[in-house]
Amino acid sequence: MPSDRPTAPPGAPPDDSGWRLRAVRDGDEAAILAGFERVYGRRMSPATWRWKLRARPALTDTSWVAVDRDQRPIFHYAGIPCRLRLPAGDFDIL
């Protein structure tokens, strides 16, 4: 089904109308890692990304993406789950 929206030229910024925030899902990893490489000029392996952001248990989602109308990730934000050891005991944060 054709869309009434104009097609953006390659390299154009994403269309900010209609984006939404959601937790990372299976299948988002390739787009997240491609964005990391574009922004930081170096690659991160999928194994490193999973170890850093998905390996530890957390009380809530720790990795989110903004997606466009076609559900393509256009921005990624994440927190790294940590365990704190305080005199009152151990606490998981994030």
Side-chain angles (χ1 to χ4, degrees):
M1 173 180 263
S3 171
D4 293 335
R5 289 181 292 149
T7 303
D15 178 3
D16 67 353
S17 60
W19 67 269
R20 67 182 190 86
L21 189 64
R22 67 164 167 77
V24 167
R25 296 180 187 159
D26 290 340
D28 289 338
E29 194 174 275
I32 291 168
L33 294 172
F36 180 90
E37 185 174 357
R38 272 193 312 275
V39 170
Y40 295 104
R42 60 186 171 86
R43 290 184 179 187
M44 178 186 295
S45 73
T48 298
W49 183 82
R50 284 189 300 273
W51 167 79
K52 194 173 203 176
L53 299 172
R54 307 294 270 187
R56 295 198 65 173
L59 303 173
T60 186
D61 287 321
T62 60
S63 194
W64 305 270
V65 288
V67 294
D68 64 14
R69 290 179 190 206
D70 298 321
Q71 298 301 304
R72 291 181 303 230
I74 56 174
F75 179 81
H76 175 247
Y77 180 81
I80 300 172
C82 297
R83 175 164 278 194
L84 297 178
R85 178 160 289 163
L86 302 173
D90 292 349
F91 299 90
D92 290 324
I93 59 171
L94 193 66

